[in-house]
Amino acid sequence: MAFVVPKPGTDPPETRQILDRRARNRKEIPLRTGSKWLPQGSMWLDLFIPPGMSAYFSSNDLRHFYHSFACVSRERARTMVVGAPYRLRELRGLRAFTRDAIHLGDSDCALLAFAGLGMGDGAAVDIAEESHCGVVREAGGLVPLSL
């Protein structure tokens, strides 16, 4: 099952696709890799800024990162089925229809699966964080002692 919700602060308005993977997430062992290094908001309480000094921060976000993440395996995509079965004739000609579509036995139906990182996927944050760290590491920005 999937649904969309409005994405705040977007002009023109956009939506976020959320996959309901609660049942599947319960069956999978949590990765807890990259997400264990993510900072918590309470960490800012330890930051001392002397009088007369200022702290400046900047952040940036990759637009549509989860949707554009193209390294999800076919096996993982098959765990993110979206919607009800479609007749094969309804899917032919669509980029979503490939030889790897999830065919339903001998029927003329198939399921569509999300091949990006799905919001609602319990492992998505860890997979995304590890990929970000890999990019920075390749550029020489992370050394083993910094993790």
Side-chain angles (χ1 to χ4, degrees), residues 15-66:
T15 57
R16 288 186 172 161
Q17 179 183 23
I18 311 295
L19 302 176
D20 186 359
R21 285 188 89 248
R22 288 175 290 187
R24 185 58 138 165
N25 287 340
R26 283 191 294 270
K27 293 178 181 179
E28 296 174 348
I29 298 170
L31 296 176
R32 303 256 195 285
T33 53
S35 64
K36 70 182 176 186
W37 303 111
L38 291 174
Q40 304 296 314
S42 61
M43 295 175 78
W44 293 110
L45 296 173
D46 294 330
L47 180 65
F48 174 73
I49 302 172
M53 302 295 288
S54 299
Y56 295 94
F57 302 92
S58 176
S59 69
N60 204 345
D61 194 10
L62 294 173
R63 191 166 174 80
H64 305 295
F65 177 75
Y66 275 25

Side-chain angles (χ1 to χ4, degrees), residues 10-141:
T10 57
D11 187 23
E14 295 181 15
T15 57
R16 288 186 172 161
Q17 179 183 23
I18 311 295
L19 302 176
D20 186 359
R21 285 188 89 248
R22 288 175 290 187
R24 185 58 138 165
N25 287 340
R26 283 191 294 270
K27 293 178 181 179
E28 296 174 348
I29 298 170
L31 296 176
R32 303 256 195 285
T33 53
S35 64
K36 70 182 176 186
W37 303 111
L38 291 174
Q40 304 296 314
S42 61
M43 295 175 78
W44 293 110
L45 296 173
D46 294 330
L47 180 65
F48 174 73
I49 302 172
M53 302 295 288
S54 299
Y56 295 94
F57 302 92
S58 176
S59 69
N60 204 345
D61 194 10
L62 294 173
R63 191 166 174 80
H64 305 295
F65 177 75
Y66 275 25
H67 286 87
S68 59
F69 195 89
C71 295
V72 173
S73 68
R74 285 190 185 107
E75 292 79 19
R76 183 133 197 102
R78 287 173 172 260
T79 71
M80 295 187 272
V81 171
V82 179
Y86 289 87
R87 299 242 181 255
L88 295 177
R89 69 176 180 273
E90 296 174 298
L91 301 176
R92 294 202 198 288
L94 299 177
R95 285 188 315 168
F97 182 71
T98 66
R99 61 182 174 78
D100 301 312
I102 303 172
H103 293 266
L104 299 176
D106 293 330
S107 75
D108 69 336
C109 293
L111 297 169
L112 296 180
F114 188 71
L117 286 178
M119 296 184 109
D121 182 342
V125 171
D126 289 289
I127 293 169
E129 184 65 18
E130 286 293 318
S131 70
H132 284 90
C133 288
V135 169
V136 175
R137 195 177 296 113
E138 286 293 315

